[in-house]
Amino acid sequence: MTTIRSEIPATVWQVKVAPGDKVESGDEIIILESMKMEIPVIAPSSGTISSVLVAPDDRVQEGDALAELDQ
Amino acid sequence: MTWKPEVEELERRLELVAGMGGEEGIARQHGRNKLTVRERLPLLADPGTFEEFGRLRGEGTYDANGELETFTPQGKVDGMCRVEGRKVVVTAGDFTVRGGSASGSHGGLGEELSASERALEWRLPYVRLIDNAGGSVRSFETLGRTYLPDANSFSHVDVNLLSTVPVVSAVLGAAAGIGALHTSLAHWNVMVDNTQVFPGGPPVVKAALGYEITKEDLGGPQVHVRESGVVDNLAASEEDAFRLIRRFLSYLPSSVDEMAPRGDTSDPVDRREDELLELIPKEPRRVHNARKLIELVVDEGSFFPIAPLYGRSRITGLARINGYPVGVMANDPMFLGGATDVAAGMKAARLMQLCETFHLPLVDLADEPGLMVGLDSEKQGIERAGARLVCITNACRMPWITIVVRRLYGVGGQTHHRATGMFRRYAWPSARWGSMHIAGGASAAYRREIEAAPDPEAKRDEIEARLNRLGSPFRTAEATGQDIIDPRDTRPVLADFVEDAQRVLVRQLGAPLIPYFP
């Protein structure tokens, strides 16, 4: 299992996956917002989303867990 | 008659030196998962090229007949070696001897040149492999006195080196006291994962400030590579650190008197990447991948990032274009929207100084929303950081090319331009610019008109739409002659500029006009 973390302090704008969803490496799973820009969070590998840990409008800090991925 | 006994003494002394601080110290070093200094040097040097100097130095004790009884080597190993075929001077701390600290006796009459003096006089790059615990009060007992903190008696050499030859520091173990200073008195530095940098360690912090902290939390990579920016790059292992040192040095000349060595030229200069046509999203809120942008235009595999985990809204590093070494920087919109905060400004200024000192052209891929706004940025002193950036951008002379790939706004935008010397600027059709942003600027400039309108929000939208129509880069080009290019032509344009830059750089060889400040 891989924990996908935020690399920046930001606000969660869109969550594009739900637990159980299959994703391919490089898919956008969450979009963060920082400085009026949309920052995509990319699946680091292919697999199944086992949990989503944030919702739109949540504030996240650098290093915070966003979702978990089962390879 | 023969000198054999004396030669035997020489051999015996060299054997004692090779034994470093003794078996116990060596075992402790290995126990901490660290290599000894004599295991490290062959990993840095081209095979068989390390030539030690001053190797008989140390402290001997003698019996009643004047015969050597015991011998402790100095806490470091100095020498010259070749790195990728080019000579460098190395000084390497030996933690197995008194934790690598100096004995407190230096600079006596008849003393041979130090490693740093030799690097300065020979005009050779200087590499420090730092593994020492700093000064020890034990030395006071040995000396029978204390001494004034006069390390500037030799630090002045280290300072001169910065404006003369490439200086690299690698933190391979402890870097305390003067080791912490030497970490930063460099053009580039690297630390290994399980190492720390601090002027005073946890016991000193406890005595001065009264709190407990581990050495990892106080001076580990989390602090220095990510937050303070004191150390540029993080190495996964000592072997990785040596690989990075070899790579960093490969982009630079041996001294300010020489041109940087040209590398591999197999990547065609007319390589036009279709991907560049789609790199910048049309939707203004979407970000592009700045790292990918760099990699598409420089020679394949040649990009070497400097301080990739610090000041992340600006990517800085070294690369090659048509084999010629260049400095490269690019705003990274993934972090702070690409804005220049104090950390990113420091990174940009250091890269420019590096280029100026070692005669590298600068390639700037600008997408600059401006200097970072907000209370945190004010508390960090963004104005002075901006002023420093304006000073260095105006004082430097190296050929500099800016490609405006997207936004260029405000004082931050100004720092991607120089009005003098060999400076060239191109824009992509995706570029937008202004002395200020239209969005925030409209609210400020038309405040009364907006507030007086029956529907203020609609009024603001109307004014912004009117202003946005003025924002086409072609309107600017009509008036100023600004060259706008097909993004796919970026690499050919850069290659042509960098080739022309060589003729200008030859005239700039020698000591830099601005002394290098770390």
Side-chain angles (χ1 to χ4, degrees), chain B residues 234-312:
Chain B
L234 179 60
S237 62
E238 294 192 18
E239 289 81 359
D240 188 35
F242 295 122
R243 191 180 58 80
L244 291 170
I245 294 170
R246 298 172 76 87
R247 183 129 189 242
F248 176 79
L249 289 174
S250 76
Y251 296 92
L252 300 180
S254 293
S255 82
V256 297
D257 304 313
E258 299 163 39
M259 294 287 280
R262 192 172 181 185
D264 175 37
T265 56
S266 58
D267 191 355
V269 293
D270 55 359
R271 179 164 59 81
R272 293 170 87 248
E273 296 284 352
D274 284 336
E275 222 177 324
L276 292 169
L277 208 50
E278 285 153 24
L279 189 90
I280 304 293
K282 284 226 151 165
E283 160 62 48
R285 277 169 51 89
R286 300 290 284 185
V287 296
H288 68 271
N289 187 333
R291 174 72 187 256
K292 183 160 216 183
L293 163 59
I294 293 172
E295 284 170 356
L296 286 170
V297 298
V298 302
D299 291 353
E300 196 185 349
S302 74
F303 182 58
F304 178 86
I306 295 175
L309 300 176
Y310 173 73
R312 298 180 78 176

Side-chain angles (χ1 to χ4, degrees), chain A residues 6-9 13-14 16 28 30-42 62-63, chain B residues 222 226 283-287 309 312 333-337 339 367 369 372-373 406-407 439-440:
Chain A
S6 178
E7 286 197 66
I8 52 167
W13 187 57
Q14 273 181 14
K16 303 180 85 171
E28 287 184 6
I30 287 169
I31 300 179
L32 303 171
E33 184 180 23
S34 164
M35 295 285 287
K36 296 191 216 154
M37 301 299 277
E38 295 168 18
I39 319 291
V41 178
I42 304 294
E62 182 184 337
Chain B
Q222 182 63 30
R226 287 184 165 270
E283 160 62 48
R285 277 169 51 89
R286 300 290 284 185
V287 296
L309 300 176
R312 298 180 78 176
M334 302 250 188
F335 298 91
L336 304 177
D367 172 26
M372 185 64 192
V373 298
R406 207 178 196 187
R407 300 160 297 169

